[in-house]
Amino acid sequence: PDATCRCSANAAAVILHTFLLEESPNDAAVAARAAAVFDTFTASFFDSDTMRWTREAVSGGGELRAADAAAAVLACLRLVKVGHGNPAISRAMASCAADALLRDTGFGYSGYASPSYTPPRNPLGASTAGRNSWHDAFVALALLVGDALGAGGDSADALLDHLEADYAPDGGLLAHLPVGLPQSGTERCAYTSTQAIWTAALRAGGRSSDAFCAELQARWGGAALLPV
């Protein structure tokens, strides 16, 4: 578990344990440990009274960030996949996390995924200014995998189109910061971790990632591509 008890870090542990459980379906020790991880995660970060997720487990608070909500969506969907607990409850918890990402009083990604294009609000948290492609791509992946778009005029195509327009208007790799903001160094900085998430988001949105992967391979290790 993460030393700071962050929702996103512990959600990653849940996701990894679901894959471990699938690889060792007959291992009682693995099953027991996975169940404990799953139950501790939802009990620590999801408030069933308010139906809201929280960023920090110890204090039960902290400013929820977009990455926390996105990770919660993916973790809960994995719980459904491996059949842990009540699938309806896991889906409901995933929906609550997606709602925090989509609604206007949350991070506003529904507007970002709509033709009208309204940028999301402070994906890093209300106390932090700015956006970056890692968080936006991760949220896109969660919303697309969770099939959370379409009810309010938003769509997968609009979401992916707006991400490309903001971070890769000329094609190729996603820059770390949106167009129009100061960049680090002489070139627009791009991170390998972001490109990996973006590749998954493209596929989840029903688009081919072949051309993008070819571009990524061509530039792998380049001066403007930081291996983080």
Side-chain angles (χ1 to χ4, degrees):
D2 180 61
T4 58
C5 293
R6 279 281 307 278
C7 179
S8 57
N10 287 276
V14 168
I15 293 170
L16 290 174
H17 273 81
T18 63
F19 287 113
L20 181 61
L21 188 61
E22 288 178 332
E23 291 182 356
S24 306
N26 299 318
D27 191 320
V30 169
R33 179 177 179 179
V37 170
F38 301 158
D39 291 339
T40 300
F41 170 70
T42 54
S44 299
F45 296 99
F46 184 73
D47 187 333
S48 58
D49 292 329
T50 63
M51 299 297 286
R52 292 182 181 273
W53 288 87
T54 184
R55 179 188 177 195
E56 298 173 3
V58 174
S59 63
E63 188 69 44
L64 186 70
R65 297 191 176 190
D68 297 311
V73 171
L74 296 173
C76 288
L77 293 177
R78 285 297 300 170
L79 294 183
V80 174
K81 180 69 165 56
V82 299
H84 176 76
N86 186 327
I89 293 177
S90 294
R91 289 192 184 94
M93 290 189 290
S95 295
C96 289
D99 179 67
L101 293 169
L102 291 169
R103 55 187 162 82
D104 291 341
T105 55
F107 293 101
Y109 274 94
S110 180
Y112 189 54
S114 300
S116 58
Y117 180 85
T118 303
R121 296 185 189 84
N122 297 328
L124 300 180
S127 61
T128 306
R131 296 166 50 202
N132 65 57
S133 57
W134 190 97
H135 284 84
D136 280 348
F138 189 46
V139 169
L141 175 62
L143 294 176
L144 293 169
V145 170
D147 196 22
L149 299 173
D154 43 33
S155 69
D157 283 338
L159 177 60
L160 296 174
D161 286 346
H162 292 157
L163 269 164
E164 288 181 329
D166 280 350
Y167 296 104
D170 300 321
L173 306 181
L174 267 65
H176 184 57
L177 298 178
V179 174
L181 292 183
Q183 307 292 323
S184 300
T186 57
E187 297 186 66
R188 299 194 74 212
C189 179
Y191 291 92
T192 54
S193 57
T194 302
Q195 315 315 316
I197 295 171
W198 178 238
T199 300
L202 287 173
R203 293 174 178 173
R207 296 189 180 184
S208 172
S209 62
D210 292 346
F212 178 78
C213 287
E215 171 71 12
L216 181 60
Q217 184 175 11
R219 292 192 57 187
W220 194 273
L225 190 63
L226 304 183
V228 178

